[in-house]
């Protein structure tokens, strides 16, 4: 939410610091409620993109969500507690990117166990979904039709993920983690330009569903910038979910309502929209499980980069591209684009849900494969499309010897198989670090901005359309075709970087398949070009995903276009909306001696919010 663009300043309302006490903890861990209405007055944190300090840190795209997460840290909660509370609050203030009926991936460093774990809360296809579910008469249905449909709604993963995350790694209950979000939903948040724009961009389809129009088009139009938007239905849903637990969704009354909405979307009488019904049943909800999975891990010079394993292609594709770069004698922006092109060719060919597809993950991330792929990179951009490689364990040698990576410690200053589809700005990412050294990098999504456009009547949240991430086909052999119970391939790439076994940096972004290139580019900016993390995030972006032209922001083209065009690259602007922007990243870096730098976007999507617990060392 961009308070910078607020037109009607609201008086800061005094926070009522509701205190919660976790079960079994007597009065040990009070969880402070976030401040009311995101006001920056009264000594409360303001929305800034970079914050440095001690004892814990948070970065999200939104001040209310950052405050909710920080409040949990302040009250004694750990990074996992705060990540869940922040995600639930993003479901209120960024409801078109996140929500309880969506999914996501958490990469988490558990400092006590000295272990990186991941939690897969990816949505699943219903059991009734077959390989041809998104085809009619032997051809793919129009992508736009699938986007706004019951058919594209995956079995939601977020609530199961929150419960598992809190049970295994947190210290507070689901009820406690949902309380800050319920409070923000109840008292409201200030509509900023981003929320207004996203509502306006969705207005036509929102108007076609009675429940969605009633919530997001009050008086028939998007709520104006500067007004206070309240969602009492969502507040009540979060509270009841907290009281009843996840079984209320996974098999209970809330689940029945989700299924009823998916099967018979509340289309406005008289609407001409063809809305395909979904296949989800209550049994699908009952069968859903969030999964703890091992992370991907690649060595990158003295660093170890941990990411999200399949069904996300985030960890494997960022990891492969880094390995390719490491195998090259020198790295500039040309090499960044070429390594990304090759890694996407392999991602598209080999990565899908590992429960259904044999993903050659170890080979994709091996030194031998990286060297073989790196040999294909010359002075001039390679012809389009790059063919996938053969991650088969038998690799041709290469003249490159690799080189040391300078970690720059001194620099503190329905996607098709070809990946040709435009990638929007949807989804969101948050990072949290706590005083014990735990770190969370968490991507959350309902897929399109506005999900499938359908609010569950009376419950205040949108359904996801994550199943449009499947390849629609016909595409024989594609690893990402739909199947019963399968998870669609994701690009989400929450990432934590270690040096000598200690976390040094965490980062992630929204943006569909551009998530991968944004995370990769930030790491390249930071570790190859020696930028500070704030500069690495703010720098202009380009995204090469084995497409003929590289998508780029205008500033990237202005700065590097001539040099790269001379080397055979072509560029196209990001279509948007928002026009011309790639990603909305958040990250944090450990600066040494306990100091943490939390970083969000200075301007993309209206700018994000970084907060630290203690600005100065106590
Ligand atoms: N559905 C996307 C993915 O999992 C995330 C949403 C988006 O950013 O497009 O890769």
């Amino acid at each position: 939410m961009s308070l910078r663009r607020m037109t009607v300043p609201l008086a800061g309302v005094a926070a009522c610091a509701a205190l919660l006490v976790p079960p079994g903890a007597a009065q040990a861990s009070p969880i402070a409620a976030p401040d009311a209405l995101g006001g920056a007055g009264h000594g409360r944190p303001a929305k800034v993109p970079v914050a440095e300090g001690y004892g814990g840190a948070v970065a999200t795209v939104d001040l209310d969500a950052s405050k909710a997460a920080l409040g949990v840290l302040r009250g004694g909660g750990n990074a996992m507690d705060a990540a869940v509370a922040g995600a639930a609050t993003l479901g209120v203030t960024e409801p078109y990117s996140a929500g309880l009926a969506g999914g996501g991936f958490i990469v988490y460093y558990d400092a006590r166990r000295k272990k990186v774990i991941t939690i897969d809360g990816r949505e699943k296809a219903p059991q009734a979904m077959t390989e041809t579910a998104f085809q009619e008469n032997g051809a793919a249905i129009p992508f736009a039709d699938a986007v706004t449909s019951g058919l594209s709604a995956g079995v939601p993963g977020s609530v199961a993920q929150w419960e598992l995350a809190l049970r295994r790694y947190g210290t507070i209950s689901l009820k406690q983690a949902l309380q800050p979000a319920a409070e923000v939903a109840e008292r409201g948040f200030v509509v900023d330009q981003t929320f207004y724009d996203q509502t306006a961009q969705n207005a036509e389809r929102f108007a076609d569903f009675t429940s969605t129009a009633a919530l997001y088009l009050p008086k028939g139009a998007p709520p104006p910038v500067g007004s206070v938007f309240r969602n009492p239905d969502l507040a009540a849903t979060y509270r009841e979910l907290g009281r009843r637990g996840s079984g209320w969704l996974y098999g209970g009354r809330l689940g029945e309502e989700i299924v009823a909405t998916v099967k018979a979307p509340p289309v406005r009488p008289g609407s001409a929209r063809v809305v395909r019904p979904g296949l989800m049943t209550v049994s699908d909800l009952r069968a859903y499980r969030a999964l703890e999975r091992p992370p991907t891990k690649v060595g990158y010079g003295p660093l170890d980069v941990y990411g999200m394993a399949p069904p996300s292609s985030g960890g494997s594709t960022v990891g492969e591209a880094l390995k390719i770069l490491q195998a090259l004698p020198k790295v500039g922006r040309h090499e960044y684009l070429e390594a990304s092109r090759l890694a996407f060719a392999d991602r598209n060919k080999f990565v899908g849900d590992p429960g259904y597809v044999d993903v050659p993950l170890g080979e994709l991330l091996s030194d031998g494969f990286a060297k073989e792929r790196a040999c294909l990179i010359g002075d001039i951009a390679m012809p389009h499309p790059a063919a996938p490689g053969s991650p088969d364990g038998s690799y041709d040698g290469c003249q490159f010897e690799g080189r040391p990576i300078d970690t720059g410690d001194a620099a503190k200053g329905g996607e098709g198989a070809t990946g040709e589809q435009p990638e929007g700005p949807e989804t969101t990412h948050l990072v949290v670090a706590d005083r014990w050294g735990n770190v969370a990098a968490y991507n959350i999504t309902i897929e399109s901005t506005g999900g499938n456009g359908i609010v569950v009547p009376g419950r205040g949240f949108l359904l996801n359309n994550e199943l449009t991430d499947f390849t629609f086909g016909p595409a024989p052999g594609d690893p990402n075709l739909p199947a019963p119970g399968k998870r669609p391939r994701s690009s989400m790439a929450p990432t934590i970087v270690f040096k000598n076994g200690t976390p040094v940096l965490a980062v992630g972004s929204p943006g569909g398949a551009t998530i991968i290139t944004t995370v990769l580019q930030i790491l390249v900016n930071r570790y190859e070009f020696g930028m500070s993390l704030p500069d690495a995030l703010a720098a202009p972006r380009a995204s090469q995903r084995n497409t003929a032209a590289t998508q780029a922001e205008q500033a990237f083209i202005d700065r590097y276009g001539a040099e790269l065009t001379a080397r055979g690259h072509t560029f196209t602007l990001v279509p948007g909306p928002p026009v011309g922007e790639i990603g909305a990243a958040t990250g944090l870096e450990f600066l040494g001696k306990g100091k943490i730098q939390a970083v969000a976007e200075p301007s993309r999507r209206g700018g994000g919010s970084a907060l630290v617990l203690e600005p100065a060392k106590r």
Side-chain angles (χ1 to χ4, degrees):
M1 301 290 90
S2 173
L3 292 179
R4 284 190 312 124
R5 301 197 200 167
M6 224 172 86
T7 54
V8 182
L10 282 157
V13 180
C16 52
L19 298 181
L20 299 175
V21 181
Q27 278 142 35
S29 296
I31 305 301
D35 301 335
L37 287 179
H42 308 288
R44 297 197 177 85
K47 182 169 166 177
V48 292
V50 181
E52 291 183 5
Y54 303 86
V58 178
T60 80
V61 295
D62 171 61
L63 181 59
D64 289 297
S66 291
K67 283 180 175 176
L70 198 77
V72 168
L73 293 182
R74 182 170 291 125
N78 70 11
M80 191 63 100
D81 300 328
V84 174
T89 307
L90 287 166
V92 180
T93 57
E94 292 276 322
Y96 308 141
S97 297
L100 71 94
F105 296 104
I106 303 173
V107 175
Y108 189 71
Y109 176 60
D110 179 337
R112 193 166 57 80
R113 296 184 182 89
K114 293 197 184 316
K115 195 173 169 204
V116 180
I117 61 100
T118 77
I119 301 181
D120 169 348
R122 184 65 163 171
E123 299 92 331
K124 289 176 67 166
Q127 279 304 315
M129 180 154 273
T130 61
E131 181 171 319
T132 56
F134 288 102
Q135 297 171 25
E136 280 168 14
N137 305 318
I141 62 174
F143 190 74
D145 288 4
V147 162
T148 307
S149 73
L151 186 62
S152 61
V155 182
S158 286
V159 173
Q161 183 188 40
W162 294 344
E163 200 173 61
L164 183 68
L166 292 173
R167 195 173 67 238
R168 293 217 181 134
Y169 298 96
T171 70
I172 63 174
S173 66
L174 182 64
K175 181 177 177 186
Q176 290 169 316
L178 295 179
Q179 178 163 325
E183 288 174 11
V184 174
E186 184 146 54
R187 71 167 184 255
F189 62 90
V190 179
V191 171
D192 68 359
Q193 193 66 44
T194 302
F195 184 86
Y196 175 86
D197 289 347
Q198 291 182 341
T199 314
Q201 157 202 333
N202 273 294
E204 207 181 305
R205 67 180 185 137
F206 282 3
D208 279 338
F209 299 98
T210 51
S211 51
T212 315
L215 180 60
Y216 288 120
L217 302 173
K219 303 189 193 142
V225 173
S227 62
V228 174
F229 185 85
R230 296 189 175 84
N231 191 341
D233 285 348
L234 183 55
T237 301
Y238 273 149
R239 290 206 166 105
E240 194 156 351
L241 185 59
R243 274 197 306 277
R244 294 179 186 271
S246 67
W248 188 47
L249 193 164
Y250 296 102
R253 175 71 190 266
L254 185 62
E256 286 166 10
E257 291 179 27
I258 288 174
V259 166
T261 309
V262 163
K263 285 194 177 303
V267 179
R268 169 179 59 83
S271 163
R273 185 179 294 276
V274 176
V275 182
R276 289 168 175 79
L279 304 169
M280 197 191 304
T281 65
V282 173
S283 312
D284 290 318
L285 287 165
R286 268 200 206 99
Y288 185 87
R289 297 285 178 279
L291 302 172
E292 190 171 324
R293 296 182 185 275
T296 59
K297 176 186 175 189
V298 298
Y300 181 56
L303 306 174
D304 289 311
V305 180
Y306 288 81
M308 191 64 225
S312 184
S313 58
S316 66
T317 314
V318 170
E320 182 189 335
L322 287 175
K323 300 282 296 183
I324 293 172
L325 289 173
Q326 188 177 8
L328 292 172
K330 67 174 174 51
V331 169
R333 289 177 181 84
H334 164 74
E335 288 77 15
Y336 153 64
L337 296 177
E338 294 295 85
S340 181
R341 187 195 301 278
L342 289 168
F344 263 91
D346 297 325
R347 165 221 192 241
N348 295 341
K349 168 88 176 166
F350 297 112
V351 183
D353 182 339
Y356 295 71
V357 178
D358 194 9
V359 182
L361 188 60
E363 294 302 331
L364 287 172
L365 297 177
S366 68
D367 289 345
F369 186 59
K371 284 184 181 159
E372 187 173 86
R373 299 298 271 160
C375 289
L376 299 172
I377 298 179
D379 288 340
I380 298 294
M382 66 188 75
H384 169 75
S390 302
D392 53 8
S394 153
Y395 303 114
D396 289 335
C398 178
Q399 69 274 28
F400 304 139
E401 277 308 311
R403 70 208 150 76
I405 305 292
D406 174 8
T407 59
D409 289 341
K412 297 286 185 229
E415 178 193 339
T418 60
E420 293 276 5
Q421 272 175 10
E423 295 294 335
E426 50 267 357
T427 307
T428 191
H429 180 265
L430 64 88
V431 286
V432 187
D434 66 27
R435 73 190 74 166
W436 299 283
N438 303 303
V439 184
Y442 187 8
N443 254 141
I444 319 139
T445 187
I446 57 171
E447 172 35 27
S448 296
T449 302
N452 73 354
I454 307 171
V455 165
V456 175
R459 297 300 185 185
F461 62 87
L462 285 155
L463 294 170
N464 74 78
N465 61 349
E466 212 70 49
L467 304 186
T468 59
D469 273 359
F470 281 124
T471 303
F472 287 9
D478 188 295
N480 190 35
L481 287 163
K486 190 173 178 183
R487 296 172 192 227
R489 178 177 61 210
S490 170
S491 298
M492 291 189 274
T495 302
I496 306 180
V497 181
F498 286 70
K499 189 172 179 185
N500 301 328
T502 306
V504 290
L505 184 144
V507 70
S509 177
T514 71
I515 291 170
I516 291 169
T517 57
T518 294
V519 168
L520 176 63
Q521 193 175 3
I522 289 169
L523 294 176
V524 167
N525 286 342
R526 175 70 190 86
Y527 294 117
E528 296 286 355
F529 305 152
M531 293 183 197
S532 67
L533 187 59
D535 288 350
L537 254 87
R541 295 196 180 124
S543 178
Q544 170 47 253
R545 307 188 302 278
N546 202 17
T547 50
T550 296
Q551 277 182 353
E553 295 176 341
Q554 185 64 55
F556 186 94
I557 299 173
D558 293 345
R559 226 173 278 178
Y560 311 111
E563 159 201 335
L564 290 165
T565 304
R567 298 182 73 175
H569 295 275
T570 55
F571 293 96
T572 168
L573 280 175
V574 189
V579 177
E581 280 184 14
I582 298 178
T586 53
L588 55 83
E589 181 160 355
F590 296 91
L591 301 179
K593 300 199 173 122
K595 192 168 194 179
I596 314 170
Q597 181 184 55
V599 186
E601 295 282 354
S603 60
R604 291 182 186 94
R605 264 210 228 177
S609 164
L611 295 173
V612 291
L613 210 51
E614 308 285 346
K617 207 165 195 168
R618 278 211 244 184

